[in-house]
Each structure stands twice: as structure tokens, then as C-alpha cells.
Amino acid sequence: QVQLVESGGGLVQAGGSLRLSCAASGRPFSSYGMAWFRQAPGKERELVARISGSGGFTSYADSVKGRFTISRDNAKNTVYLQMNSLKPEDTAVYSCAASFRSTYIDFRKYDYWGQGTQVTVSS
């Protein structure tokens, strides 16, 4: 069993930055591929970024490439999402997810989810 708790969301002006954190407890953290998803009202859940257990592989949605960075600190059981140059269209609930041994594009393949944190970007 893995518990995930996100933090770091909030209200920011366009062009600003936020860093989201996702703290995990339970099984060895490095065994899990991690991802950040987001969902805006009336829209489907969207994969934002994902990272392998070692941190050696990362992948991003085209909409955030060059602006967002996913990273992890396995000693602290935490994955991060650094978000720069935020845009109003980045407004959504951001959730972290964990999948044993790999990462996936499909949200249905993730085993554990956090409760989500709201990010609101004003224009």
C-alpha cells in the first residue's frame, strides 16, 4: 500500500511559478514510477509528466514541455513538479500517481493516487 499526499498548489498570476510536491509512504519509493496528471472542469484527465523509479527517464505533455520539470528525491520519498511560465490554461486540479515498477501514459494503469491540489493561474 502506498499513500500519496500532494502540496504546493495555490493561486498565481500568469507567468509565475509554483512547485508541487507529492510525499509517499509505504513500499520502497524507488520501486514506483510516478506521474502528475491534471484535470480542469469539464475536461478529461491529462497526463502532465512522468518519471521512472530511478529518475533516469522523464516524459512531458507537449503543452508543458520547456516550462515544467518533474523530478524525484528517493531518499525523501517525494516527487516534484516545478511549474514555470504558468498560463491560465494550466489551471486544474493536479494529482500525483504511482505505478509499481513502470510509468504509463494511461491513467488507468496507476495503482495509487493522491487527493489532488488546486492550481489556479490568473490572467
Side-chain angles (χ1 to χ4, degrees), residues 4 7 19 21 36 39 51-52 54 65 82 86 121 123:
L4 303 174
S7 61
R19 188 176 82 155
S21 299
W36 286 97
Q39 188 165 22
I51 187 168
S52 63
S54 67
K65 278 181 183 176
Q82 178 66 44
L86 283 160
V121 184
S123 57

Side-chain angles (χ1 to χ4, degrees), residues 1-114:
Q1 190 76 8
V2 175
Q3 292 80 42
L4 303 174
V5 179
E6 301 100 335
S7 61
L11 173 65
V12 64
Q13 288 188 331
S17 298
L18 284 173
R19 188 176 82 155
L20 305 183
S21 299
C22 174
S25 60
R27 283 185 164 179
F29 184 59
S30 60
S31 300
Y32 286 83
M34 301 294 296
W36 286 97
F37 288 82
R38 68 185 181 186
Q39 188 165 22
K43 294 189 176 181
E44 293 186 351
R45 189 174 344 200
E46 175 188 20
L47 174 65
V48 176
R50 56 194 178 113
I51 187 168
S52 63
S54 67
F57 167 82
T58 59
S59 179
Y60 298 89
D62 287 343
S63 58
V64 307
K65 278 181 183 176
R67 300 189 297 123
F68 290 12
T69 302
I70 189 171
S71 62
R72 65 191 296 161
D73 185 339
N74 286 342
K76 295 183 177 180
N77 285 9
T78 302
V79 63
Y80 304 97
L81 185 68
Q82 178 66 44
M83 306 185 294
N84 298 329
S85 302
L86 283 160
K87 303 176 181 180
E89 51 263 44
D90 294 318
T91 295
V93 174
Y94 285 70
S95 300
C96 65
S99 179
F100 189 51
R101 290 187 177 168
S102 189
T103 66
Y104 303 95
I105 294 174
D106 187 348
F107 73 90
R108 292 168 292 186
K109 293 189 176 182
Y110 286 83
D111 304 301
Y112 304 102
W113 291 83

